[in-house]
Amino acid sequence: DASIKEEWPKAGGAIASIRFPPEINHGANAGLAGGLALLEPVKEKYPAVSYADIFQMASATAIEKAGGPKIDMIYGRVDATSPEQCSPEGNLPDAEAGDNGKYGGTSGTASTEDGSPHGHLRKVFYRMGLNDEEIVALSGAHTFGRAYKDRSGLGAEKTKFTDGSKQTRSDGKEAAYKVGGSSWTEKWLVFDNSYFTTLVDKDADPELLKLSTDKIIFVDEGFKPFAEKFRDSQDAFFESYAKAHKKLSELGSKFDPAGGITI
């Protein structure tokens, strides 16, 4: 949710302000409180490491362990210290239009409201300094994980892919998981380019998610070349995704020491 036009901490982004209300209670963050609780023991064991670094390390490690690319992360982020440093609600993208037929709104750092999914995505991500390639690459993270109706309002209570039936990890081992939600891909615990191959597969299982902001990447003239490139080459997707993830992880951050720490 970072803004390239502001300075730390007002810029938002990777400053760990999400651990404070009201930000953790924003609609787009529904369900994340559980994830933060899982990381609290790490902070207790390594109190000198900032929350912002722990959150970003968890994200990059999850992608890599799921079979995705290794991300060239740097650390040393400085944490936000109070709720007053939280970003306003409304900076993150909507997957579908609201009751007014529009995506986004006017309550965030800048208006993201638009009558089209592609226009909305650009208003959200251009404000962060991200381009069309990076938008499509980051959309590809939907290959991993699920949407929950009681959080985002999207998806089913469960599908044939999330009903407790067998799911394997990238290492081939069977995974234990909590039943529920809807996935974009059949093997939603593996990070690969199947998000892109599934979106254009007319024979894909109808229980898989294909939201408006997903489908538009194969329609919009600016997004389409990258979506097709990532569909055809997992290596190309991984290369672009790793760069976009790294960039996103540094937006809004202040590093101590300046320039960050490489592990």
Side-chain angles (χ1 to χ4, degrees), residues 3 10 44 58-59 77 83 86 91-92 98 103 106 109 121 130 148 161-162 184 186 188 201 212 221 241 247 254-255:
S3 170
K10 192 175 180 180
E44 291 175 1
S59 174
R77 292 170 185 79
C86 289
N91 285 340
L92 299 177
Y103 298 79
T106 60
T109 303
L121 287 175
L130 298 168
Y148 294 88
F161 305 107
T162 66
W184 285 262
E186 294 185 9
W188 48 269
D201 182 359
S212 295
E221 291 185 1
Y241 179 83
K247 182 175 180 178
K254 179 170 71 173
F255 291 91

Coordinates of all heavy atoms in Angstrom, one line a residue, residues 3 10 44 58-59 77 83 86 91-92 98 103 106 109 121 130 148 161-162 184 186 188 201 212 221 241 247 254-255:
S3 N 3.1 4.5 -1.0 CA 3.1 5.6 -2.0 C 4.5 6.1 -2.3 O 5.3 6.4 -1.3 CB 2.2 6.8 -1.4 OG 2.4 7.9 -2.2
K10 N 4.9 7.9 6.6 CA 3.6 8.2 5.9 C 3.4 7.5 4.6 O 2.2 7.3 4.2 CB 3.5 9.7 5.7 CG 2.2 10.2 5.3 CD 2.2 11.8 5.2 CE 0.8 12.3 4.9 NZ 0.7 13.8 4.8
E44 N 9.4 -12.9 19.6 CA 9.8 -13.2 21.0 C 11.2 -13.8 21.1 O 11.9 -13.5 22.0 CB 8.7 -14.0 21.7 CG 7.4 -13.4 21.8 CD 6.3 -14.3 22.4 OE1 6.6 -15.5 22.6 OE2 5.2 -13.8 22.5
A58 N 9.1 -13.9 6.1 CA 8.1 -15.0 6.1 C 7.5 -15.1 4.7 O 7.3 -16.2 4.2 CB 7.0 -14.8 7.1
S59 N 7.2 -14.0 4.1 CA 6.6 -14.0 2.7 C 7.6 -14.6 1.7 O 7.2 -15.5 0.9 CB 6.3 -12.6 2.4 OG 5.8 -12.5 1.0
R77 N 14.7 -3.3 8.1 CA 13.6 -2.4 8.1 C 13.3 -1.8 9.5 O 13.4 -2.6 10.5 CB 12.3 -3.0 7.5 CG 12.4 -3.4 6.1 CD 11.2 -4.3 5.6 NE 11.4 -4.7 4.2 CZ 12.2 -5.7 3.8 NH1 12.9 -6.3 4.8 NH2 12.3 -6.0 2.6
P83 N -0.3 3.4 16.1 CA -1.4 3.3 15.2 C -1.5 4.6 14.3 O -2.1 4.6 13.2 CB -2.6 3.2 16.1 CG -2.1 2.6 17.4 CD -0.7 3.2 17.5
C86 N -0.4 4.2 10.7 CA -1.1 3.3 9.8 C -1.5 4.0 8.6 O -1.9 5.2 8.6 CB -2.3 2.7 10.5 SG -1.9 1.5 11.8
N91 N -6.4 1.4 0.1 CA -5.2 1.4 -0.8 C -5.0 0.1 -1.6 O -4.2 0.1 -2.6 CB -3.9 1.7 0.0 CG -3.8 3.2 0.4 OD1 -4.5 4.0 -0.2 ND2 -3.0 3.4 1.4
L92 N -5.7 -0.9 -1.2 CA -5.4 -2.2 -1.8 C -6.5 -2.5 -2.9 O -7.6 -2.0 -2.9 CB -5.4 -3.3 -0.8 CG -4.3 -3.1 0.3 CD1 -4.4 -4.2 1.4 CD2 -2.9 -3.2 -0.4
G98 N -18.0 -3.1 -6.8 CA -18.9 -3.0 -5.8 C -20.3 -2.8 -6.3 O -20.6 -2.9 -7.5
Y103 N -14.9 -0.3 -9.2 CA -13.8 -1.0 -8.4 C -13.2 0.1 -7.6 O -13.0 1.2 -8.0 CB -12.8 -1.6 -9.3 CG -13.3 -2.7 -10.2 CD1 -14.0 -2.5 -11.4 CD2 -13.1 -4.1 -9.8 CE1 -14.5 -3.5 -12.2 CE2 -13.6 -5.1 -10.6 CZ -14.3 -4.8 -11.8 OH -14.8 -5.8 -12.6
T106 N -12.5 6.0 -2.9 CA -11.8 7.3 -2.7 C -11.3 7.5 -1.3 O -10.8 8.6 -1.0 CB -12.8 8.5 -3.1 OG1 -13.9 8.4 -2.2 CG2 -13.3 8.3 -4.5
T109 N -5.1 6.7 0.3 CA -4.1 7.8 0.1 C -4.4 8.6 -1.2 O -4.3 9.8 -1.2 CB -2.7 7.2 0.0 OG1 -2.4 6.4 1.2 CG2 -1.7 8.3 -0.1
L121 N -6.7 -1.5 -11.3 CA -5.4 -2.1 -10.9 C -4.3 -1.1 -11.2 O -3.4 -1.0 -10.4 CB -5.2 -3.3 -11.8 CG -6.0 -4.6 -11.4 CD1 -5.7 -5.7 -12.4 CD2 -5.6 -5.0 -10.0
L130 N 4.8 0.8 -9.6 CA 4.8 -0.5 -10.3 C 4.3 -0.4 -11.7 O 3.3 0.4 -11.9 CB 4.1 -1.6 -9.5 CG 4.7 -1.8 -8.1 CD1 3.7 -2.7 -7.2 CD2 6.0 -2.5 -8.2
Y148 N -11.3 -16.7 0.9 CA -12.3 -17.2 1.8 C -13.5 -16.2 1.8 O -13.3 -15.0 1.9 CB -11.7 -17.2 3.2 CG -10.7 -18.3 3.4 CD1 -9.3 -18.0 3.2 CD2 -11.0 -19.6 3.9 CE1 -8.4 -19.0 3.4 CE2 -10.1 -20.5 4.1 CZ -8.7 -20.2 3.8 OH -7.8 -21.2 4.0
F161 N -11.1 -29.0 -4.3 CA -9.7 -28.9 -4.1 C -9.3 -28.4 -2.7 O -8.1 -28.4 -2.3 CB -9.1 -27.9 -5.1 CG -9.5 -28.2 -6.5 CD1 -10.4 -27.5 -7.2 CD2 -8.9 -29.3 -7.1 CE1 -10.7 -27.8 -8.6 CE2 -9.2 -29.7 -8.4 CZ -10.1 -28.9 -9.1
T162 N -10.3 -28.0 -1.9 CA -10.1 -27.5 -0.5 C -10.9 -28.2 0.5 O -11.1 -27.7 1.6 CB -10.3 -26.0 -0.5 OG1 -11.7 -25.7 -0.7 CG2 -9.5 -25.2 -1.5
W184 N -7.3 -20.7 -6.9 CA -7.2 -20.3 -8.3 C -6.7 -21.5 -9.1 O -6.9 -21.5 -10.3 CB -6.3 -19.1 -8.4 CG -6.9 -17.8 -8.0 CD1 -7.5 -16.8 -8.9 CD2 -7.0 -17.2 -6.7 NE1 -7.9 -15.7 -8.2 CE2 -7.6 -15.9 -6.8 CE3 -6.6 -17.7 -5.5 CZ2 -7.8 -15.1 -5.7 CZ3 -6.8 -16.9 -4.4 CH2 -7.4 -15.6 -4.5
E186 N -5.5 -25.9 -9.1 CA -5.7 -27.2 -8.5 C -4.7 -27.5 -7.4 O -5.1 -28.0 -6.3 CB -5.7 -28.3 -9.5 CG -6.9 -28.1 -10.6 CD -6.9 -29.3 -11.5 OE1 -6.2 -30.3 -11.3 OE2 -7.7 -29.2 -12.5
W188 N -2.8 -25.8 -5.1 CA -2.7 -24.4 -4.6 C -1.6 -24.3 -3.5 O -1.4 -23.2 -3.0 CB -4.0 -23.9 -4.1 CG -4.8 -24.9 -3.2 CD1 -5.7 -25.8 -3.6 CD2 -4.6 -25.0 -1.8 NE1 -6.1 -26.5 -2.5 CE2 -5.5 -26.0 -1.4 CE3 -3.9 -24.3 -0.8 CZ2 -5.7 -26.4 0.0 CZ3 -4.0 -24.6 0.5 CH2 -4.9 -25.7 0.9
D201 N -7.6 -21.6 -19.8 CA -8.0 -22.9 -20.1 C -9.6 -23.0 -20.0 O -10.1 -23.0 -18.9 CB -7.4 -23.9 -19.1 CG -7.7 -25.3 -19.4 OD1 -8.5 -25.6 -20.3 OD2 -7.3 -26.2 -18.6
S212 N -12.7 -11.0 -11.9 CA -12.6 -10.0 -12.9 C -11.2 -9.4 -13.1 O -10.7 -9.2 -14.2 CB -13.6 -8.9 -12.7 OG -14.9 -9.3 -12.8
E221 N -4.6 -4.7 -23.3 CA -3.5 -4.7 -24.3 C -2.2 -4.5 -23.6 O -1.1 -5.0 -24.1 CB -3.7 -3.6 -25.3 CG -4.9 -3.9 -26.3 CD -5.0 -2.9 -27.4 OE1 -4.1 -1.9 -27.4 OE2 -5.9 -3.0 -28.2
Y241 N 8.6 -12.2 -11.3 CA 8.0 -12.2 -10.0 C 9.0 -11.8 -8.9 O 8.7 -11.0 -8.0 CB 7.3 -13.5 -9.7 CG 6.7 -13.5 -8.3 CD1 5.4 -12.9 -8.1 CD2 7.4 -13.9 -7.2 CE1 4.9 -12.8 -6.9 CE2 6.8 -13.8 -5.9 CZ 5.6 -13.2 -5.8 OH 5.0 -13.1 -4.5
K247 N 10.9 -5.6 -5.0 CA 10.6 -4.1 -5.1 C 9.4 -3.8 -4.2 O 9.5 -2.8 -3.4 CB 10.2 -3.8 -6.6 CG 9.9 -2.3 -6.8 CD 9.6 -2.0 -8.3 CE 9.3 -0.6 -8.5 NZ 9.1 -0.3 -10.0
K254 N 12.2 2.1 5.6 CA 13.4 2.8 6.0 C 14.3 1.8 6.6 O 13.9 1.0 7.4 CB 13.1 3.9 7.0 CG 14.4 4.6 7.5 CD 14.0 5.9 8.3 CE 13.5 5.5 9.7 NZ 13.4 6.7 10.6
F255 N 15.6 1.8 6.1 CA 16.5 0.7 6.5 C 17.6 1.3 7.5 O 18.1 2.4 7.3 CB 17.2 0.1 5.3 CG 16.3 -0.7 4.5 CD1 15.6 -0.2 3.4 CD2 16.1 -2.1 4.7 CE1 14.7 -0.9 2.6 CE2 15.2 -2.8 4.0 CZ 14.5 -2.3 2.9

